[in-house]
Structures are given as structure tokens and as C-alpha cells.
Amino acid sequence: MPSPFPGMDPYLEGYLWPDVHHALPSEIRRRLAPQVRPRYAVRIEVATYHDENPESEIGIMYPDLEIWRRRFASQALEAVPPAALDADIAAAERGAPITQPITVPLLDYEVRIATVEVYDAVQNQLITSVEIISPYNKRESGLGKYREKQRRLREAGVHLLEIDLIRRGQRPVKTGAVITDHELFDAHYLITLVRGGANKLEAWPVNVQQPLPVVAVPLRPPDNDVPLALDAVLTTIYDEAGYDLSIDYSQPPPPPEFDAKTQEWMRQHIQTTGL
């Protein structure tokens, strides 16, 4: 069953996002590779980070802390065998009940972020980096690390295509030329392209009511850009993963909350699809 939304499905922005984020690079490579070979090769690079400040994702992408505490606190001592006590104190301590602790998880989540990279097949030189933005990239300390990566890629003359399909957090696009452009920063989703050596940004702002665009993936001149149909990419992984089996469309999507006009559109649109 396909998603009821014409483009990005906002219900994928919650606990399903890690699976979506892992599936997107593979499908993007599958579509790009035949278009660029034999002059280019498409690879997937995976980096692992420790999410040091995950509080804003608790209950959205990570398990709810209070549910975790209620589920496991009552079981904290069940599996702990009684300790062997010194004979002199055994009689005095045997009858003392152990005070029940509060059990909480350690907030140290491992985040795997995959990047699609297009290389010159002969020289093995990185030409284009396709970044699928994660919530980790949109808040500190992940935001700072990602912006440092942006800087390195730009200095190396690498084309940078950023796909941001998450509404929460701070957009990593960093350029004064668009900082006041509300059409970009007020859009629900944003895809941007900075070509190697260019001093301008190409952007595709998208709202939830719209299909995802066909974007350009640049190569080395004089080779032409190749198209990447993001709508087809998302439709394919939605169907293959069966995300509809895990989503309750009668409930609100993950935060942040949409404005009232968009919420009404979503309510009517979902009803029209029969969900």
C-alpha cells in the first residue's frame, strides 16, 4: 500500500526515521549508478557517531524515557541473586529490605549516517556528495560536526547535494545569501545543491502537500547533470518496507506540529484516501 501523501510522508519522521535513513542511500545509489557508469562509480560511506544530546529525540525517534522507567524499574532486582554476607553480619542484615532504585537508561545512542558518494572511476576522486540529513545533523554537537564537513567539501571543490526531509531542528544550510529567504526556511522540507566552486545555492523547497522534486546530481564538466527522482525513491522504499503496516494515520504525525491550515489539509487528504 502506498503512502497517502503526494511526497514526503511526515509520519516517517518519528521512530521509523532510522530505517528510512538507512534505506534512502541504497535506493539513491541504485538509481544513480546506471546513469553515471562507466566514467563514475557510486559508493555509500557510513559514519558512526555517539549522540551526546538526544533529549529532544526522546519519545520521537528514541524510546520514551518514562515508559522505559516504568517497564524496567519494577524488575530491577528480580534477576540479582542475594549476595553472600559475612557470617557476623548475616543475621542483622538478612531481614533488611533493599530500597528499590530508579532505573533509567544511559542517554548514549549510536547514530549511523550514510552518505552517497560519486567518484571518478579512473582517479578515484570524490566528485559529488549526497547527504541525507539526520536529526543528529540539525542540533549540537552534530550540527557543528556536519558544518565542518560542509566546509571541507567546499574547500575540496566537491558538489554537495543535501536532502533534508526532517522538519525539526536547525537547517544546516549556512549562507548569508538565503538567511532571510522565508520561502526556503519556512518550507517543510528542503533539498539544496552547492556546486563545487560556486558562490550560489540551488534549492528545492517542498511542503507536505507537494510531490518531491527531481533534482540535479552534478558530475565533472563537461558531463551533464543526471536526474534523481526523489519522489520515486521514497515511494519505492515505502512499499518495500511496508511502512503502512506500522503507521496509525488516525493519530497526529511526529512533532513539530503543523500549522492549522496544513493540519486540516492533512485530515481531509487522509480521509479521502480511505485510511
Side-chain angles (χ1 to χ4, degrees), residues 105-171:
L106 297 175
L107 298 183
D108 184 13
Y109 293 95
E110 192 174 82
V111 181
R112 297 174 70 251
I113 296 181
T115 302
V116 181
E117 297 179 332
V118 181
Y119 283 86
D120 181 296
V122 175
Q123 300 179 359
N124 197 37
Q125 180 179 1
L126 179 60
I127 305 299
T128 304
S129 180
V130 182
E131 302 282 345
I132 298 98
I133 302 301
S134 163
Y136 176 78
N137 301 131
K138 302 182 73 174
R139 54 182 164 78
E140 295 299 350
S141 61
L143 178 61
K145 294 175 182 177
Y146 180 70
R147 283 183 168 165
E148 174 61 21
K149 182 179 182 179
Q150 287 178 317
R151 183 191 64 78
R152 293 196 308 267
L153 291 173
R154 186 165 186 176
E155 289 179 351
V158 175
H159 308 304
L160 176 58
L161 178 64
E162 294 180 347
I163 302 171
D164 187 354
L165 301 180
I166 291 286
R167 290 171 296 123
R168 58 189 179 275
Q170 181 179 348
R171 288 220 163 101

Side-chain angles (χ1 to χ4, degrees), residues 250-262:
S250 68
Q251 300 298 316
E257 189 176 76
F258 285 97
D259 62 86
K261 183 177 180 181
T262 302

Side-chain angles (χ1 to χ4, degrees), residues 13-172:
E13 297 180 56
Y15 74 95
L16 289 172
W17 177 255
D19 190 78
V20 176
H21 193 266
H22 294 161
L24 282 170
S26 295
E27 181 59 22
I28 289 173
R29 178 171 67 173
R30 191 183 71 83
R31 291 174 179 272
L32 286 182
Q35 299 186 73
V36 302
R37 63 180 308 160
R39 289 171 58 85
Y40 303 89
V42 185
R43 303 286 181 253
I44 295 177
E45 175 70 22
V46 179
T48 301
Y49 303 92
H50 284 279
D51 196 347
E52 301 164 353
N53 298 290
E55 289 83 356
S56 63
E57 294 298 325
I58 299 296
I60 303 175
M61 191 171 72
Y62 299 142
D64 185 89
L65 182 60
E66 290 303 318
I67 292 177
W68 198 99
R69 282 171 44 156
R70 289 196 299 270
R71 180 177 300 167
F72 293 102
S74 63
Q75 304 172 10
L77 298 179
E78 289 180 3
V80 181
L85 300 176
D86 186 273
D88 294 337
I89 63 171
E93 296 291 339
R94 188 175 296 117
I98 298 175
T99 304
Q100 184 72 35
I102 295 174
T103 305
V104 296
L106 297 175
L107 298 183
D108 184 13
Y109 293 95
E110 192 174 82
V111 181
R112 297 174 70 251
I113 296 181
T115 302
V116 181
E117 297 179 332
V118 181
Y119 283 86
D120 181 296
V122 175
Q123 300 179 359
N124 197 37
Q125 180 179 1
L126 179 60
I127 305 299
T128 304
S129 180
V130 182
E131 302 282 345
I132 298 98
I133 302 301
S134 163
Y136 176 78
N137 301 131
K138 302 182 73 174
R139 54 182 164 78
E140 295 299 350
S141 61
L143 178 61
K145 294 175 182 177
Y146 180 70
R147 283 183 168 165
E148 174 61 21
K149 182 179 182 179
Q150 287 178 317
R151 183 191 64 78
R152 293 196 308 267
L153 291 173
R154 186 165 186 176
E155 289 179 351
V158 175
H159 308 304
L160 176 58
L161 178 64
E162 294 180 347
I163 302 171
D164 187 354
L165 301 180
I166 291 286
R167 290 171 296 123
R168 58 189 179 275
Q170 181 179 348
R171 288 220 163 101

Side-chain angles (χ1 to χ4, degrees), residues 7-8 12 20-32 35 116 130 132 163 165 212-215 217 227-241 243:
M8 176 57 186
L12 298 178
V20 176
H21 193 266
H22 294 161
L24 282 170
S26 295
E27 181 59 22
I28 289 173
R29 178 171 67 173
R30 191 183 71 83
R31 291 174 179 272
L32 286 182
Q35 299 186 73
V116 181
V130 182
I132 298 98
I163 302 171
L165 301 180
L212 292 172
V214 178
V215 301
V217 179
L228 176 61
L230 291 178
D231 203 39
V233 169
L234 191 66
T235 297
T236 298
I237 67 171
Y238 186 100
D239 289 343
E240 288 182 351
Y243 290 134

Side-chain angles (χ1 to χ4, degrees), residues 4-5 11 249-250 265-275:
F5 289 89
Y11 287 81
Y249 286 104
S250 68
W265 177 87
M266 291 173 58
R267 186 187 65 79
Q268 294 184 7
H269 185 73
I270 289 173
Q271 283 185 347
T272 301
T273 63
L275 293 175

